[in-house]
Each structure stands twice: as C-alpha cells, then as structure tokens.
Amino acid sequence: MTTQPWTARAAEMAAIFMVGDGLVGLLQPRRHVDLWKEEALGAEKTVAPFVDRPGRRQLYALAQIAGGLWLASRQRPR
C-alpha cells in the first residue's frame, strides 16, 4: 500500500511535534506543565497527572521522543 504524500507529511509533522514537546518536557518538566495546567482550553485534564510530578513528566517525555522518532523513521518519500 502506497502512502499518499499528504499522509506522510502529516505523520512527519506529528513526529516533529512529539519530539519537540518531549524535549521541552524532559528538560523543563515543571515549567512546561505549569504553562498548561490552568485556563488551557481543555489541556488541563491532559497535564493533571503530571502536576507536581516532574519525574513522571520526564518519563512520558522519553516515550514521546521515542514514539516521534519511530513515527518519523516510518515515513518514506515516493
């Protein structure tokens, strides 16, 4: 099955977001979570498990980075 160019590009963009967000979460876990824990258009529920738990956020960040790199590695030009 051939992947359409826009599908591969969307996956690449998602991978880039995952790696970038993961790096910020890994290096600055408290600041990153604090930015999204209040008045964040629904993101509060997503970051709630990480509030005051920087180690947990860093562990999740490693998973994000690994997942993003894996996703990027799966994309191939036609």
Side-chain angles (χ1 to χ4, degrees), residues 3-14:
T3 304
Q4 296 296 321
W6 64 268
T7 304
R9 290 176 188 139
E12 183 85 352
M13 288 172 48

Side-chain angles (χ1 to χ4, degrees), residues 16-47:
I16 290 166
F17 172 81
M18 291 168 68
V19 171
D21 189 63
L23 281 172
V24 172
L26 182 64
L27 299 174
Q28 301 175 346
R30 288 188 187 275
R31 187 205 59 78
H32 190 52
V33 170
D34 285 348
L35 184 65
W36 294 99
K37 70 181 183 182
E38 295 175 5
E39 299 179 33
L41 301 173
E44 303 87 350
K45 291 179 183 178
T46 303
V47 300

